[in-house]
Amino acid sequence: MFGLPRRWIRQLGYLVLIFFAAIVVLLVANRNNVGLDDYLPTGFLPSFFQPAADLFIVDIAIQNCFKMKSKNENCGLPSASEGLMGNLYGSGQWVKIDKDLALGSSWYRKEYFSYKKAKKEALEGKVAVDDTSKEKTQKRGEDQKKNQVIVDIAISNPLIDAKVPDNDKLRIPRYILKEFHSMKVYDDGHHEELVEKQKANMKGETLQALTVDKDNSASNKIKIKLEQDILAANSANKKNDKENDLIKIEEGGEADEKSKDETELKTPNKKKPEENDTQDKEKIKDDAKAAKNDNKEKVVDKKTEQKPKKDINVDVIEDEDKNKREILYERDTETSRHNLEVSYPIPTKEELVASGWSYKSNGIWLKYGNADSNAVTGIDILFGEDAVDPRPNWRLIKEGPLREVSSPSGKPAYISIRKGPRVDYKKNTNPLKINKDGKFKILQVADLHFSTGVGKCRDPSPDETRSGCKADPRTLKFLENVLDLEKPDFVVLTGDQIFGDEAKDSETALFKALNPFIKRKIPFAVTMGNHDDEGSLSRTEIMSLSANLPYSMSSLGADEVAGVGNYALTVEGPSSRNTAMSLFFLDTHKYSLNPKVTPGYDWVKESQLKWLEKEAASLQKSVASYSHIHLSMAFFHIPLPEYRNLDQPMVGEKKEGITAPRYNSGARSILGKLGVSVASVGHDHCNDYCLQDTANNEGENKLWLCYGGGSGEGGYGGYGGYIRRMRVFDIDTNAGEIKSWKRKESEPDVAFDHQTLVSGGNVINSN
């Protein structure tokens, strides 16, 4: 065979067999929902071999629940026998999204969105009769086995959808119309119809609505709106025809005769009328000859020759003597496809059903299809016109909110859907790493105080910005400006990302806070503040949600350690995996658990301090192997008692009282012994100083205690006009150096309060 040795041929045969065996394994795994990515290295499997989800959604429902019964988990949940496919027993069930669609605006009832999920076995006709492994096979026709699951969702918006010609009755969502439009096959014939329509409009004539497909029924006719406004030439550069027959050139040039005829099509090459007549006659002869050969009668009308309309524009320039000259040039008027607006075919009810689309309720349209990787496997509800969903495999349907909610809250509810299986965003997270030049930049974002909805501005500054102030959009603009200016390698959020009292749906508020980093693919870490869990989610739920988003480096921490979110991160060297920096994150809790004995705020617990020592010890080997100076920092929300030692070197402002805990558990001492050079917090919005604590206790080092400064307009300000700000830490591992500066919302492009905190690995005071 091709003159190859038998040994080579045998080896090639083995390779072919192995290849086909691998294909069979992948196909079987895909069919049976076996997640091979759990057993193979990351990135080994191609995307089209990802297994489909094992749970699919077959129906949805919206039901009311009286508030007095709302603690009952079944309140507002449809019964097992309701909805498509009936009672699925152990092969499926209704799932209630635990969010009141009215956000508590009704005093006597709540309204819940539920969806019915089914396992693949139920779709194949096998349904368990109870919670045991015993199964019962139900006979279903082939038509029942197909098109059973929801593959897409659209929401109608009557104010917008009714404006589409011939859509005022059905009010089909534009999302569906665009789908039909994308599947429609158009040709040049449709363009010719549109051009004729435009010509008629220009002449003031009226034609019947054009059909996108002539073979369709009358119900498919649509009215095509054409652009009738033609861009007028600059009046300063044109002369009125009635006032002047000629445009004179300043130096005595000849005048051009202005065309009286109008044309819609641009003439690419200007020819003499005699040449055009000759070409027209030749074309007529050719057409007649072709018609005769085809035995078809063909009438050829010679169109009246029209001279292209010329718009004469005058550009004014100055010559060397600063005398103005007028230069003429011609521009032909053109009618092209760009002058025609997009038109949507309006499907009939029969076509909608055939395509899988059907109307459910509350403005919701469902599309049913096959149970594959394109099926909807998750539904969520987010609130407010500024809502976002940063999860890559989710789509927030913003075409319109849910309609006919019993008690609207003023914050509309939007559906977000996931297609395909659940994605583990943490699985492919890359470790933090120093850049090749030895630099690493951290942006600290403190006290964003996001709400559900746009939020209320509290003490905005300067005063002239109070009118029309919307807290969250304004905060986001400031945050995104700083991100684009600084381009940090890492972002640390030091608590109170959301303002619990104003976050009726904490998930919506948190997504807004973290979306700027996710869409820019910037790694970030989160610590908990005292307001984060005062909304709809608990402290653990908030931290879990934060930790499981794309680019999040956050962690819930060990269960045996007090609080939520005690964890450490390492930053690797530029050319090795050794630890160049150690970053510690702590939960400083909320309010004192025994306010009569120790009023005020809670403190760092003993279990946390022991964890710190143990975690630092576990990193020693990697730290010792690093070839440059190792640096260490810590981040948390509530300041330590040592922040009150104001008789020490300090850079920045202290505008308000320091709300540190009254009880000192010794956290500063432990941080000093572990070699932490800088600790930075939030909490006190109007303080932004860095204080060098020079305690000389044995085994401790000097330590910079910094504030990030409040950044969110939704949190308090005041104290003589506080302008929101953020802090930057610029690390140079080659020099063992940490520098810092801040940026204000009023002048984000101006950095201020520059200072060097650490140099050569030692805490210094450069000011």
Side-chain angles (χ1 to χ4, degrees):
M1 179 180 178
F2 306 111
L4 296 176
R6 290 185 178 181
R7 181 169 56 87
W8 287 18
I9 295 174
R10 186 166 56 252
Q11 290 176 346
L12 286 173
Y14 291 154
L15 289 175
V16 171
L17 287 174
I18 292 173
F19 174 77
F20 280 106
I23 293 294
V24 171
V25 170
L26 290 171
L27 290 174
V28 171
N30 193 56
R31 181 177 180 82
N32 293 279
N33 301 305
V34 177
L36 289 181
D37 51 345
D38 294 331
Y39 306 99
L40 297 175
T42 301
F44 180 83
L45 291 175
S47 59
F48 52 84
F49 275 117
Q50 294 298 320
D54 60 347
L55 289 174
F56 300 91
I57 297 176
V58 297
D59 206 354
I60 64 169
I62 296 177
Q63 293 191 2
N64 293 322
C65 169
F66 287 106
K67 272 194 173 181
M68 64 179 65
K69 298 181 179 180
S70 61
K71 292 185 178 180
N72 184 343
E73 61 181 14
N74 292 323
C75 187
L77 186 70
S79 64
S81 59
E82 290 185 67
L84 296 181
M85 300 183 69
N87 195 333
L88 297 175
Y89 299 97
S91 297
Q93 64 182 29
W94 281 99
V95 177
K96 181 176 71 175
I97 299 177
D98 194 17
K99 297 182 179 183
D100 179 12
L101 297 181
L103 291 178
S105 60
S106 173
W107 62 271
Y108 71 97
R109 68 178 177 182
K110 295 184 177 182
E111 198 164 7
Y112 292 104
F113 184 103
S114 302
Y115 58 89
K116 193 173 190 178
K117 63 180 183 179
K119 294 182 180 179
K120 198 165 187 178
E121 61 190 39
L123 303 176
E124 293 172 348
K126 299 177 181 180
V127 179
V129 297
D130 50 33
D131 293 334
T132 66
S133 59
K134 185 178 179 181
E135 294 181 348
K136 173 183 177 182
T137 301
Q138 293 184 344
K139 294 183 179 180
R140 301 168 183 258
E142 287 300 320
D143 56 336
Q144 288 181 297
K145 290 185 179 180
K146 295 180 180 179
N147 301 330
Q148 296 182 100
V149 304
I150 298 173
V151 297
D152 208 352
I153 297 178
I155 307 295
S156 63
N157 188 333
L159 296 178
I160 297 177
D161 299 332
K163 294 181 180 179
V164 178
D166 289 351
N167 193 36
D168 54 334
K169 292 183 179 180
L170 288 178
R171 297 186 179 182
I172 302 171
R174 285 201 175 196
Y175 179 82
I176 300 177
L177 296 181
K178 289 179 180 179
E179 180 182 289
F180 273 85
H181 178 71
S182 64
M183 295 187 298
K184 206 75 176 176
V185 178
Y186 297 94
D187 55 30
D188 289 339
H190 299 116
H191 173 61
E192 293 176 2
E193 288 185 87
L194 298 181
V195 171
E196 292 298 326
K197 174 68 175 178
Q198 187 179 41
K199 288 181 181 180
N201 286 342
M202 293 176 65
K203 295 178 181 179
E205 299 176 1
T206 302
L207 296 181
Q208 292 182 349
L210 301 175
T211 58
V212 175
D213 191 336
K214 295 179 180 179
D215 296 330
N216 280 357
S217 61
S219 62
N220 281 349
K221 289 185 178 181
I222 61 172
K223 296 177 181 179
I224 301 175
K225 182 181 178 182
L226 301 172
E227 286 189 355
Q228 298 181 3
D229 297 332
I230 300 176
L231 294 176
N234 193 324
S235 59
N237 296 333
K238 296 182 68 177
K239 302 295 182 179
N240 191 292
D241 293 343
K242 296 180 180 180
E243 295 178 355
N244 297 293
D245 293 332
L246 297 175
I247 297 179
K248 297 181 180 180
I249 300 177
E250 189 173 330
E251 293 186 350
E254 296 181 356
D256 289 341
E257 181 180 354
K258 194 168 186 178
S259 174
K260 298 180 181 180
D261 299 326
E262 294 183 354
T263 61
E264 285 74 31
L265 299 176
K266 181 179 179 180
T267 305
N269 297 316
K270 298 178 183 179
K271 299 181 180 180
K272 295 180 180 180
E274 295 81 5
E275 295 177 353
N276 290 337
D277 290 339
T278 302
Q279 290 183 359
D280 286 344
K281 291 177 181 179
E282 292 176 356
K283 185 177 184 301
I284 292 172
K285 291 179 181 180
D286 292 340
D287 291 341
K289 185 176 181 180
K292 184 177 181 180
N293 293 337
D294 294 336
N295 294 322
K296 294 180 180 179
E297 184 178 357
K298 188 172 184 179
V299 179
V300 181
D301 294 331
K302 181 178 179 181
K303 296 183 179 180
T304 304
E305 178 70 22
Q306 292 183 345
K307 188 176 180 180
K309 179 180 177 180
K310 301 175 182 178
D311 292 339
I312 302 178
N313 297 329
V314 181
D315 285 345
V316 180
I317 63 174
E318 292 186 6
D319 59 10
E320 296 178 355
D321 298 327
K322 297 184 179 180
N323 294 323
K324 296 182 178 179
R325 297 176 180 270
E326 296 178 343
I327 299 177
L328 297 177
Y329 68 91
E330 298 177 347
R331 184 182 65 194
D332 295 329
T333 302
E334 178 183 10
T335 298
S336 71
R337 297 172 192 262
H338 298 290
N339 297 110
L340 306 175
E341 289 190 354
V342 175
S343 58
Y344 297 116
I346 307 300
T348 62
K349 292 182 179 180
E350 292 75 15
E351 289 176 320
L352 284 171
V353 172
S355 66
W357 284 104
S358 62
Y359 181 73
K360 183 67 176 179
S361 67
N362 298 83
I364 304 172
W365 289 71
L366 303 177
K367 183 178 183 180
Y368 283 86
N370 295 325
D372 54 25
S373 59
N374 194 46
V376 175
T377 58
I379 298 180
D380 200 357
I381 303 292
L382 300 175
F383 297 86
E385 295 178 354
D386 60 338
V388 294
D389 195 334
R391 297 169 291 187
N393 57 330
W394 287 74
R395 178 173 69 88
L396 181 61
I397 304 173
K398 292 297 289 288
E399 287 82 5
L402 291 178
R403 291 160 41 203
E404 301 168 9
V405 175
S406 59
S407 300
S409 64
K411 299 176 180 64
Y414 294 91
I415 291 179
S416 188
I417 61 174
R418 181 192 70 203
K419 291 191 175 185
R422 182 194 301 267
V423 176
D424 182 4
Y425 304 120
K426 302 278 283 188
K427 191 169 185 177
N428 298 323
T429 301
N430 296 320
L432 298 175
K433 206 168 186 67
I434 301 294
N435 297 315
K436 292 182 179 180
D437 59 358
K439 300 289 187 68
F440 191 77
K441 185 182 288 186
I442 299 175
L443 173 66
Q444 180 188 356
V445 181
D447 299 273
L448 284 169
H449 280 256
F450 275 108
S451 306
T452 302
V454 296
K456 301 175 182 177
C457 290
R458 287 170 171 78
D459 310 311
S461 184
D463 288 339
E464 56 267 22
T465 64
R466 290 178 178 272
S467 178
C469 181
K470 296 179 180 179
D472 292 0
R474 179 169 167 176
T475 301
L476 278 173
K477 182 179 179 181
F478 173 40
L479 173 59
E480 294 190 330
N481 280 340
V482 174
L483 288 173
D484 295 338
L485 284 167
E486 292 289 357
K487 295 179 172 54
D489 301 297
F490 185 51
V491 175
V492 178
L493 296 97
T494 50
D496 284 358
Q497 286 70 247
I498 64 177
F499 192 14
D501 290 342
E502 295 295 327
K504 301 298 183 182
D505 181 55
S506 298
E507 184 184 32
T508 297
L510 186 66
F511 281 175
K512 286 194 297 182
L514 301 181
N515 184 57
F517 320 121
I518 295 173
K519 71 181 182 181
R520 288 172 174 79
K521 301 181 180 181
I522 302 174
F524 64 91
V526 169
T527 65
M528 295 297 295
N530 55 296
H531 290 301
D532 285 307
D533 61 343
E534 293 175 351
S536 61
L537 297 178
S538 69
R539 208 167 183 81
T540 301
E541 289 170 332
I542 284 284
M543 196 65 199
S544 178
L545 183 60
S546 303
N548 287 287
L549 288 173
Y551 304 101
S552 174
M553 309 298 292
S554 311
S555 174
L556 283 167
D559 293 336
E560 63 272 14
V561 180
V564 179
N566 299 291
Y567 58 99
L569 295 174
T570 60
V571 186
E572 298 176 354
S575 57
S576 71
R577 301 197 64 178
N578 296 322
T579 301
M581 287 190 69
S582 300
L583 305 175
F584 299 99
F585 304 87
L586 294 171
D587 182 3
T588 47
H589 315 290
K590 297 180 60 174
Y591 310 103
S592 172
L593 299 178
N594 193 354
K596 292 184 178 180
V597 178
T598 51
Y601 288 94
D602 209 348
W603 51 88
V604 179
K605 306 299 182 181
E606 184 178 356
S607 63
Q608 294 174 277
L609 299 179
K610 289 182 178 179
W611 168 82
L612 271 174
E613 293 177 314
K614 183 178 179 181
E615 191 69 24
S618 69
L619 299 175
Q620 282 304 309
K621 184 177 180 180
S622 180
V623 169
S625 300
Y626 182 58
S627 57
H628 291 68
I629 300 172
H630 172 263
L631 299 171
S632 185
M633 301 177 69
F635 296 93
F636 38 93
H637 182 64
I638 298 176
L640 302 174
E642 284 77 8
Y643 274 76
R644 297 192 182 102
N645 300 335
L646 300 177
D647 57 344
Q648 302 181 87
M650 185 175 72
V651 176
E653 295 181 334
K654 176 196 172 295
K655 285 195 170 187
E656 64 171 304
I658 299 157
T659 54
R662 295 190 179 186
Y663 177 74
N664 193 334
S665 61
R668 186 265 179 257
S669 178
I670 295 297
L671 291 174
K673 290 179 180 179
L674 298 181
V676 173
S677 303
V678 179
S680 198
V681 301
H683 191 56
D684 298 330
H685 301 182
C686 300
N687 293 337
D688 74 343
Y689 62 80
C690 271
L691 178 147
Q692 188 186 71
D693 187 44
T694 57
N696 293 318
N697 296 334
E698 185 178 354
E700 293 182 7
N701 67 344
K702 295 179 181 179
L703 176 63
W704 280 103
L705 301 175
C706 297
Y707 278 105
S711 59
E713 294 291 340
Y716 70 84
Y719 292 93
Y722 179 80
I723 298 175
R724 274 62 176 183
R725 59 203 65 193
M726 298 177 191
R727 180 177 288 279
V728 178
F729 294 100
D730 192 36
I731 295 99
D732 185 347
T733 57
N734 293 328
E737 190 174 73
I738 301 178
K739 293 182 178 180
S740 185
W741 58 82
K742 291 164 289 189
R743 291 187 182 271
K744 288 183 180 180
E745 186 217 9
S746 57
E747 296 178 295
D749 55 337
V750 178
F752 67 100
D753 279 354
H754 287 264
Q755 60 183 129
T756 300
L757 305 173
V758 179
S759 181
N762 299 314
V763 173
I764 66 168
N765 180 18
S766 61
N767 300 284

